[in-house]
Amino acid sequence: MKILPLLLVMLFMACPGDNMSDSYSLPEPLKTDRPIEECLSKRRSVRFFSEDTLTPEQVSTLLWAAQGITDEKRGFRTAPSAGATYPLEVYLVAPHGIFQYNPQEHSLSLKKAGDYRPELEKACLGQPSVGKAYISIILTAVTGRTSSKYGERAMRYIWLEAGHSAQNVLLEATALGLGAVPVGAFNDDAVSKLLELDSFTSNSIPLYVIPVGVPLKK
């Protein structure tokens, strides 16, 4: 596994487009000193972003907040999951590619090179916040992981888990001094096509799009 350089430009440009299987380690997540009560109070939906970049450490921390491992021995994560089935998969849409997050290794795998933020904005019904944000974190689910255990009730649990994970990202963004907004209005087929989700054999579906960036100063 390759180690991602700490410079942001290399974080998203060092991935060779001709080898989509390469995996890149992320920096250790940051630890802020902001109380959870303050983050809950300050959290707001932010839809206007500056052109400032995010650091690799900030990106790392946001992804860890979404689905990071908190118990190496038992594999528990930052968000609760019904029966520890962990149906969620996390994707990162960044200026130089679409990546998939690997919680076990705390790493990224390049899926597609290039800036797909305009396409993601279009898939999200033209919402400008999606196109302007420096990154978007997308939560998807492999529904079979949970339905094999819980049957018809699985989708209820999956949606609940997506909400837990999304709130983690929103609160972490607040702790880092960033802005974010949860987006549920999008064309499912368009997002699935963009991420190349396997909707037939693994029943993968998109659940949430969360644009994140540096808030635009008023």
Side-chain angles (χ1 to χ4, degrees), residues 104-209:
Q104 289 77 16
E105 301 293 339
H106 190 56
S107 65
L108 289 174
S109 295
L110 178 66
K111 311 304 290 185
K112 297 167 70 174
D115 189 355
Y116 289 91
R117 291 177 299 172
E119 288 191 31
L120 181 61
E121 177 183 347
K122 184 178 179 181
C124 291
L125 313 182
Q127 297 181 69
S129 59
V130 178
K132 294 294 185 182
Y134 192 70
I135 65 168
S136 281
I137 292 173
I138 304 180
L139 304 180
T140 72
V142 180
T143 60
R145 295 176 187 169
T146 305
S147 63
S148 63
K149 185 172 185 177
Y150 293 107
E152 294 182 357
R153 200 166 181 83
M155 285 310 303
R156 179 191 296 254
Y157 297 152
I158 290 171
W159 284 112
L160 289 170
E161 186 171 338
H164 303 323
S165 181
Q167 180 74 336
N168 284 355
V169 174
L170 297 174
L171 292 176
E172 191 67 72
T174 301
L176 294 170
L178 303 173
V181 57
V183 173
F186 53 80
N187 183 297
D188 289 21
D189 291 339
V191 174
S192 295
K193 182 178 180 180
L194 182 64
L195 301 181
E196 298 180 348
L197 299 183
D198 185 352
S199 59
F200 295 102
T201 59
S202 66
N203 294 320
S204 295
I205 58 173
L207 303 176
Y208 243 138
V209 177

Side-chain angles (χ1 to χ4, degrees), residues 42-60:
K42 297 294 185 181
R43 188 219 58 78
R44 293 292 183 273
S45 293
V46 176
R47 295 180 174 85
F48 300 96
F49 303 101
S50 74
E51 295 182 357
D52 294 342
T53 62
L54 272 61
T55 69
E57 290 82 4
Q58 288 173 327
V59 174
S60 170

